[in-house]
Amino acid sequence: MTALFTSVQSILTIVVIIALGYILRQKKWFDDNFAGTISKLLMQVALPASIFTSVLKRLTLDKLVSLSSGLVYGFGGVILGYIVAFILVAVLKVRPGRRGTFINMFVNANTIFIGLPLNMALFGDKAMAYFLMYYVVNTVSTWTLGAFLMSWDDTTKTQGTGEKSSFNWKKLLPPPLLGFLVALVFMFLPFDVMKVSWLSFAINALDYVGSLVTPLSLVYIGIILADAGLSSIRFDRDTVVALIGRFAVAPALITLLIVGGMKMGFSIPSLEAQTLIVQASAPGLAVLPILADNGHGDVEYATNVVTTSTVLFAVVVPIIMVLVQNI
């Protein structure tokens, strides 16, 4: 019951903020350019700041080394997830504009805004180290291949504009990934940057700016829903398969790796296994519509899968918890 209550509470909070964005857009508080402004602010400023401070607060080099098994299983599940998703994109002939979102739904989860509070409620502080390992995997995956796929899946390249498409090297290093890489560099310093008193003003500023990510991402989803209309929420083939990938394929893949590793003698604590599986089952990233907008993709589809996966998560959590009890 605790898992169900926690998941429902988390989701209701998210739904309220999405509804706020929806209502205010309907009341014309936001003009037509406001969503694009939010998108630029999040991608280029708020997300890099959030990732930078999160990494330095929650990770150390010693933790990364001592819990390397979680990284191995996490990256193994991510790699398999990408392979399955790419195959399905080809088999199902997912149209341009949706492919990046479709693949990201199979692989990358909303670990911080939903996964973290849920993990704390289910397992407590004793599982925090295991959560951090999945957080690293998810962050690296999201802001390397995940973000690149969203920018690569550009519908303007397939509309016969006559423009010659060229590879943009800047897409390999989006601002959020730069925030993560800079944080890793700071982790190698012989002192803890977060505890340097004369830098506290800068850290506080980054904290405040980073805290904009969750509410503004959800307000953005509400704006997109208002523009598209609630009737845009539908369970078409691409949405259903993406949801199956998020809630069934992703946790199944990492479970198979963990069980296989245990049979080969590479055992890990039960709590670690349960944490990794639960995190792999979290909803789609709240920033997917932002990424789709930046990559000229299908923003309505991205909004649809994020919204539906967030709502359905309340049903998925109790099922996952029952299934992982014996691992």
Side-chain angles (χ1 to χ4, degrees):
M1 289 300 294
T2 302
L4 177 61
F5 180 76
T6 302
S7 59
V8 170
Q9 288 287 90
S10 298
I11 288 165
L12 284 176
T13 300
I14 290 170
V15 169
V16 167
I17 301 176
I18 291 176
L20 177 64
Y22 180 91
I23 293 170
L24 294 182
R25 174 57 174 160
Q26 289 281 64
K27 289 181 174 294
K28 308 298 182 183
W29 281 34
F30 304 140
D31 62 27
D32 294 340
N33 298 320
F34 188 67
T37 302
I38 289 180
S39 174
K40 185 177 292 186
L41 172 63
L42 287 175
M43 282 296 298
Q44 298 185 17
V45 181
L47 268 168
S50 175
I51 291 173
F52 176 82
T53 56
S54 294
V55 170
L56 290 182
K57 283 181 179 179
R58 296 185 169 96
L59 288 176
T60 64
L61 290 176
D62 291 338
K63 284 182 179 178
L64 283 174
V65 174
S66 64
L67 297 169
S68 57
S69 60
L71 293 175
V72 172
Y73 286 122
F75 278 115
V78 162
I79 292 169
L80 291 177
Y82 276 119
I83 292 172
V84 172
F86 272 108
I87 292 173
L88 286 174
V89 164
V91 171
L92 299 176
K93 297 180 179 179
V94 178
R95 69 172 182 257
R98 290 187 169 190
R99 296 175 297 189
T101 300
F102 184 91
I103 295 170
N104 269 278
M105 281 295 290
F106 269 75
V107 181
N108 301 314
N110 193 341
T111 54
I112 286 296
F113 307 129
I114 295 181
L116 177 56
L118 180 65
N119 209 72
M120 289 295 291
L122 295 177
F123 308 122
D125 286 330
K126 57 186 177 182
M128 178 55 70
Y130 304 135
F131 166 81
L132 290 175
M133 292 305 97
Y134 197 87
Y135 169 74
V136 170
V137 171
N138 197 73
T139 300
V140 172
S141 173
T142 298
W143 299 113
T144 52
L145 185 55
F148 174 74
L149 289 173
M150 295 295 288
S151 62
W152 158 79
D153 189 28
D154 191 333
T155 55
T156 61
K157 297 176 182 178
T158 62
Q159 294 175 351
T161 59
E163 296 180 3
K164 183 179 178 181
S165 62
S166 59
F167 183 77
N168 185 356
W169 288 99
K170 292 182 180 179
K171 291 180 178 179
L172 282 177
L173 286 174
L177 177 58
L178 286 175
F180 180 77
L181 295 176
V182 172
L184 289 182
V185 171
F186 273 79
M187 284 173 60
F188 282 94
L189 296 178
F191 56 90
D192 188 346
V193 176
M194 305 298 283
K195 295 180 180 179
V196 178
S197 59
W198 60 272
L199 285 177
S200 60
F201 77 96
I203 300 301
N204 289 336
L206 290 172
D207 271 335
Y208 283 128
V209 173
S211 66
L212 295 172
V213 172
T214 304
L216 285 186
S217 294
L218 297 176
V219 167
Y220 178 85
I221 291 174
I223 294 172
I224 298 302
L225 277 175
D227 288 340
L230 289 177
S231 59
S232 65
I233 298 179
R234 58 175 60 88
F235 290 92
D236 56 19
R237 185 203 63 181
D238 292 348
T239 298
V240 171
V241 177
L243 291 173
I244 292 173
R246 180 89 302 271
F247 293 135
V249 176
L253 290 174
I254 198 166
T255 300
L256 288 174
L257 288 175
I258 291 172
V259 172
M262 288 179 174
K263 289 184 177 180
M264 295 174 63
F266 301 104
S267 61
I268 62 173
S270 177
L271 184 59
E272 180 177 1
Q274 292 175 5
T275 297
L276 294 175
I277 295 169
V278 168
Q279 291 306 312
S281 311
L285 293 160
V287 295
L288 278 183
I290 303 289
L291 292 172
D293 178 63
N294 275 264
H296 304 104
D298 190 336
V299 180
E300 291 181 14
Y301 173 70
T303 301
N304 186 44
V305 293
V306 170
T307 304
T308 52
S309 69
T310 300
V311 174
L312 289 175
F313 187 56
V315 179
V316 172
V317 169
I319 298 173
I320 294 294
M321 286 304 298
V322 170
L323 294 177
V324 301
Q325 289 300 312
N326 297 324
I327 295 180

